[in-house]
Amino acid sequence: MKLLEYEAKEVFGNAGIPTPKSRLISSPEDVTEALRDTGTDVVLKAQVDVGGRGKAGGILKADAGDAVNVAKALFSSEIKGLPVKLVLLEERLSIEKEYYLSIAIDRSAKCPVILFAEAGGVDIESAAAGDPGAVRRECVSPLLPEIPRFQLRDLTGSAPVGVKAIINTLYRVFGEKDALLAEINPLVVTTGGEIYAADAKLIIDDNALGRQGITVNRDLTPREQKAGELGFSYVELEGSIGVIGNGAGLTMSTLDLIEYYGGKAANFLDVGGGADRDRVREAVRLVAGMPEVRVIVVNLLGGITRCDEVARGILEAGVPHTVILRLAGTNEEEGRAILAQKGYRMLDSMDAVIRAAVEESK
Amino acid sequence: MIYGGKDARMIVQGATGKQGMFHLNLMNDYARQVGGSGVVAGVTPGKGGREVSGVPVYDTVKEAVEEHDARVSVLFVPSFAAGDSIMEAAHAGCELVVAITEHIPVHDVMKATGYASLKGCQVVGPNSPGLLSPGEVKMGIMPAHLSLRGNVGVISRSGTLTYEVMDELTKAGIGQSTIVGIGGDPVVGQTFVDVLREFESDPLTKAVVVIGEVGGNLEEEGVISTDLPVVAYIAGSSAPPEKRMGHAGAIIEGGEGDAKSKIMRIKKTGVPVASRPSEIPSLVRDLL
């Protein structure tokens, strides 16, 4: 789950990484009061979860004279389609130098990887593309309690000593918070020689939300949230063919085949292991609840899936949609008979069932 | 075959749980069918002294492996304890841990696989259906009745999609040497590179099917690393960016790991890429 900038800054700040003076506001009326904390030269930053927020107009400079009006403009705007509900009003730093710092996971090395660059700021990706040496990277053994000093040296080069301390702290936060990404871009050195995290990004591992005390994953839509509670992996898309599969790979492949045959999938739904009557019923109802869905494909394959149970779950769901199935498992004949009585089509191969669904959707 | 055959003596960690019990029995059914050693002991802390279908259960991996001379553990432990259980198995002398458990926090996986590797223990998974060498041994939950013994290796990040491919190969009369599910998480123990290296030293395996998906670039690394004839298939060409498609590892992040660029990079090495699973058998036949 992605944290918003102000939440990430709170986490970083609590760990001892300096952040600019700031106030979170939810209306332009809060501006005057907030300026007393931050000083009058400020930046207003929309708290929305999008990349390229600055270029999209989500970060605006202001001073005492125009801060209220700037806030009004920001609160009434949309940043890449998202409404602005919260704004972080922050002291404007006098910047001497900007660095790029991030910690992510290197799948190949199976380690946290620290990236550090002398040229921080908005265009780090293109800077890295133009000069591959510009971004230094070090993988740190997950078995060590902290970053070895030699690696810290290799990363930071001639950067001020305070930068090393911040990297150490960020690395500790990365582990303690079960992060997939912890990023400070830019890490700013002011003309006064102070160092600040001017922006902050933190993504928490969805598999660790429980032990991090997070109960609701905000990245999910309400229907995705409900699906999660039922034990399904579910993603909403934009087509008209509802999809229910078992296993992430098979379900993904089902979506690909829909595209291959010229159709558009409405969703990804993996019912998980042990697709029984109740789970299938709930899955069908969930998918049928999306207004765009015109036909539903059920693609279940597994040694232990009981096709008669699946068939009963489909009947129990009682949805008006056309449901086309491919079932492979035990009691196939019984399942086929149950469904055939009610006029459902059960086909033998993945290609056949998806071709049929694509035709039906047109 | 790779990662052991009929004589592999296995333990099951999490043997008294619902999944553990169920699959312990299926693994032993398969062992009886092919005349293999099967699961010789189970482990659940606090449940030592019990039996699961005649298989003795111990409190610790150490006791189980010492009493029964086992070197392989198949792991069904709940996610919050699974990282620790992998390390326990490696510490007790297991040479192979097959981790079926899903939803293990990735920081736990990095530590556990790192520790296991120090101990010389290979980890398959987590979030894996395990592995199956038809006619030899089943370590995990793959449906053995879909398989056929032969000389094509299969490596996959997925479960049911692997069964789909097994089924397609078997129906086409193409047998499999070993089918390995390396797991759907962003960090896994044995990667495509590792498994391909094992296949290279396996006299039975003549070609390999690599079944990948969006996220990361381990498929490309694998394909580049090997001299074996390979056919690839990548799931997720219709997956939108930044959305996790079921598997924790199946996500296109920062413009990286999308199916189209993966497929392009693999094709560049001369490896044929199937556009759908049903195309795989004919592409494999062209290689044999």
Side-chain angles (χ1 to χ4, degrees):
Chain A
M1 185 182 90
K2 277 186 209 132
L3 267 55
L4 291 169
E5 178 195 4
Y6 80 94
E7 298 169 309
K9 276 186 168 159
E10 200 174 297
V11 173
F12 292 179
N14 288 341
I17 296 172
T19 56
K21 281 183 228 157
S22 70
R23 279 282 296 270
L24 185 70
I25 60 174
S26 54
S27 134
E29 290 162 23
D30 304 334
V31 168
T32 315
E33 158 81 24
L35 289 178
R36 284 190 208 129
D37 284 354
T38 58
T40 51
D41 283 349
V42 291
V43 198
L44 288 93
K45 304 166 94 176
Q47 299 300 293
V48 287
D49 172 26
V50 295
R53 182 180 49 155
K55 283 184 181 164
I59 300 177
L60 303 172
K61 286 180 188 172
D63 54 34
D66 65 356
V68 174
N69 285 334
V70 170
K72 278 182 185 157
L74 195 53
F75 273 110
S76 59
S77 68
E78 281 191 350
I79 309 300
K80 294 193 176 173
L82 291 180
V84 178
K85 291 178 182 156
L86 291 171
V87 167
L88 191 66
L89 192 139
E90 203 169 71
E91 85 177 283
R92 204 187 312 157
L93 300 171
S94 158
I95 296 168
E96 169 79 28
K97 189 161 172 55
E98 294 181 319
Y99 296 98
Y100 169 84
L101 169 63
S102 84
I103 308 178
I105 286 168
D106 186 315
R107 295 182 179 211
S108 177
K110 303 173 204 174
C111 287
V113 59
I114 306 174
L115 304 176
F116 184 79
E118 298 274 345
V122 281
D123 284 323
I124 183 71
E125 285 86 5
S126 52
D131 176 9
V135 181
R136 299 185 206 126
R137 47 179 294 144
E138 290 288 330
C139 287
V140 179
S141 165
L143 301 180
L144 297 175
E146 56 191 22
I147 309 164
R149 281 201 299 278
F150 78 91
Q151 286 191 298
L152 214 44
R153 247 186 351 251
D154 289 350
L155 274 170
T156 53
S158 60
V161 178
V163 168
K164 287 186 188 171
I166 286 175
I167 298 179
N168 272 328
T169 307
L170 192 67
Y171 187 72
R172 186 164 52 80
V173 169
F174 184 75
E176 282 175 3
K177 294 291 172 191
D178 277 302
L180 300 178
L181 176 75
E183 183 179 281
I184 300 175
N185 182 33
L187 180 66
V188 162
V189 179
T190 65
T191 45
E194 292 169 310
I195 308 175
Y196 289 103
D199 195 2
K201 251 189 217 163
L202 192 60
I203 302 177
I204 311 286
D205 183 354
D206 288 350
N207 286 339
L209 294 183
R211 73 181 181 196
Q212 290 299 334
I214 298 168
T215 47
V216 178
N217 184 347
R218 281 185 324 223
D219 288 356
L220 306 178
T221 67
R223 205 181 278 113
E224 288 173 353
Q225 189 77 43
K226 190 184 170 214
E229 285 160 15
L230 292 166
F232 305 146
S233 294
Y234 180 76
V235 176
E236 280 177 9
L237 305 165
E238 282 164 352
S240 60
I241 303 174
V243 175
I244 296 170
N246 66 336
L250 187 68
T251 311
M252 234 186 300
S253 183
T254 305
L255 301 189
D256 295 347
L257 271 191
I258 288 174
E259 191 178 82
Y260 180 87
Y261 286 116
K264 278 197 162 156
N267 72 291
F268 168 102
L269 191 155
D270 168 11
V271 290
D276 61 12
R277 181 200 294 213
D278 294 345
R279 295 174 66 80
V280 168
R281 182 189 60 231
E282 292 307 314
V284 171
R285 285 184 179 162
L286 188 79
V287 171
M290 288 190 296
E292 311 78 28
V293 169
R294 297 170 63 172
V295 50
I296 298 173
V297 176
V298 178
N299 185 15
L300 301 178
L301 169 70
I304 54 172
T305 302
R306 283 185 51 185
C307 299
D308 53 329
E309 277 280 297
V310 172
R312 291 196 177 92
I314 305 245
L315 296 191
E316 277 178 22
V319 299
H321 302 68
T322 306
V323 183
I324 308 176
L325 304 100
R326 182 280 183 108
L327 302 178
T330 58
N331 303 346
E332 265 181 52
E333 283 315 308
E334 204 184 331
R336 191 185 296 267
I338 291 169
L339 290 166
Q341 277 173 11
K342 301 286 177 183
Y344 286 98
R345 268 199 290 170
M346 206 167 125
L347 302 167
D348 281 331
S349 79
M350 212 166 137
D351 288 88
V353 76
I354 289 162
R355 266 202 309 259
V358 170
E359 262 168 45
E360 188 78 26
S361 75
K362 282 179 177 161
Chain B
M1 86 251 165
I2 57 176
Y3 300 109
K6 275 185 188 142
D7 56 350
R9 299 169 65 81
M10 298 178 277
I11 64 164
V12 164
Q13 283 176 271
T16 57
K18 190 178 158 201
Q19 292 291 317
M21 262 196 280
F22 182 78
H23 288 289
L24 184 154
N25 284 325
L26 289 182
M27 275 186 269
N28 273 349
D29 287 347
Y30 194 69
R32 272 189 289 276
Q33 207 181 311
V34 302
S37 304
V39 180
V40 293
V43 176
T44 303
K47 302 263 168 86
R50 296 192 187 187
E51 282 191 352
V52 171
S53 308
V55 174
V57 175
Y58 296 84
D59 284 323
T60 67
V61 176
K62 188 164 182 281
E63 291 170 86
V65 300
E66 279 175 3
E67 289 291 322
H68 297 275
D69 191 29
R71 289 290 174 269
V72 177
S73 174
V74 184
L75 193 117
F76 293 92
V77 171
S79 60
F80 64 89
D84 199 63
S85 299
I86 292 170
M87 294 192 277
E88 185 191 354
H91 186 73
C94 286
E95 289 158 6
L96 178 66
V97 175
V98 179
I100 311 300
T101 308
E102 64 173 326
H103 300 309
I104 309 179
V106 67
H107 283 260
D108 294 5
V109 177
M110 288 191 290
K111 290 194 179 92
T113 53
Y115 182 84
S117 131
L118 280 184
K119 293 277 176 183
C121 169
Q122 294 175 311
V123 177
V124 171
N127 193 4
S128 151
L131 58 96
L132 171 68
S133 293
E136 291 285 338
V137 68
K138 161 170 150 151
M139 304 174 179
I141 66 173
M142 287 187 186
H145 68 275
L146 297 178
S147 68
L148 173 72
R149 191 182 167 93
N151 55 15
V152 174
V154 179
I155 317 174
S156 173
R157 275 168 70 184
S158 140
T160 43
L161 179 57
T162 317
Y163 313 159
E164 176 79 29
V165 174
M166 273 162 74
D167 192 35
E168 294 276 2
L169 289 171
T170 297
K171 280 179 180 156
I174 301 170
Q176 305 101 47
S177 53
T178 301
I179 305 123
V180 185
I182 60 171
D185 280 358
V187 173
V188 293
Q190 295 286 291
T191 61
F192 286 103
V193 172
D194 301 320
V195 183
L196 281 160
R197 196 176 300 136
E198 297 285 334
F199 274 131
E200 277 169 16
S201 50
D202 173 34
L204 185 61
T205 303
K206 303 294 178 219
V208 178
V209 178
V210 163
I211 307 165
E213 51 189 50
V214 289
N217 56 13
L218 297 180
E219 289 86 352
E220 299 94 300
E221 280 184 11
V223 167
I224 291 163
S225 75
T226 188
D227 294 329
L228 279 169
V230 171
V231 169
Y233 171 73
I234 303 292
S237 55
S238 63
E242 308 293 337
K243 282 281 185 185
R244 212 169 290 281
M245 303 305 274
H247 281 154
I251 180 164
I252 303 163
E253 291 165 306
E256 276 186 16
D258 66 290
K260 284 185 184 71
S261 56
K262 254 177 203 285
I263 290 168
M264 218 168 63
R265 282 199 291 266
I266 292 173
K267 279 187 171 165
K268 228 181 242 175
T269 67
V271 164
V273 181
S275 57
R276 49 208 161 101
S278 54
E279 255 181 38
I280 294 173
S282 63
L283 291 177
V284 171
R285 192 165 285 122
D286 291 345
L287 294 182
L288 291 172

